[in-house]
Amino acid sequence: MTDNTVISDAHARVIRLLEARGLCVQEEIDFPPFRVDIYLPDHHACVEVDGPHHGARADHRRDAELLRVYALPTFRIEVDEIDGLAWLGALNDFLAVVEATKDERWDAVSMKVPWL
């Protein structure tokens, strides 16, 4: 099977910013039936970069399903907010919260994601 995933400029910019802050980043990781834009394995959390095609209702359902099935919390960044960098403070707050439960969440789902 060939993976034809193309990383957008916005995704690439977010990835560079996360890596510059010392975060371990994996791109375009499958959590069937979904694929997350950016997976942060050290936090067992994901980051989604939302462009104009995203719908709040569908994203909310998707986030809830990722949390329910994979214990995977999601942090969302709007494309038009990337360059402002204000989201980095909110991401730090998000990571501080999920850090407290990462081991417990990972232990609960590690068998569901043997490819990680």
Side-chain angles (χ1 to χ4, degrees):
M1 184 164 120
T2 303
D3 183 1
N4 294 323
T5 301
V6 176
I7 304 294
S8 73
D9 290 342
H11 289 88
R13 175 141 169 77
V14 170
I15 289 165
R16 283 191 306 273
L17 289 165
L18 296 175
E19 289 176 335
R21 280 155 181 75
L23 292 170
C24 179
V25 172
Q26 295 178 357
E27 305 164 22
E28 300 295 325
I29 300 298
D30 289 326
F31 289 89
F34 306 109
R35 176 175 282 187
V36 300
D37 293 339
I38 301 165
Y39 176 61
L40 306 174
D42 293 341
H43 295 85
H44 188 58
C46 67
V47 176
E48 289 291 306
V49 180
D50 294 344
H53 63 282
H54 282 262
R57 180 179 284 159
D59 288 345
H60 179 73
R61 282 193 303 266
R62 181 179 190 272
D63 294 351
E65 190 70 3
L66 285 168
L67 188 60
R68 184 184 70 77
V69 174
Y70 296 104
L72 187 68
T74 302
F75 181 83
R76 292 190 167 275
I77 306 165
E78 296 291 331
V79 167
D80 59 358
E81 295 175 352
I82 292 171
D83 290 331
L85 301 181
W87 59 271
L88 286 170
L91 177 66
N92 288 337
D93 294 343
F94 168 81
L95 293 177
V97 169
V98 300
E99 179 70 23
T101 61
K102 75 172 182 165
D103 292 334
E104 179 181 325
R105 288 182 293 103
W106 176 250
D107 289 345
V109 299
S110 62
M111 297 301 287
K112 292 181 181 181
V113 288
W115 56 92
L116 290 179

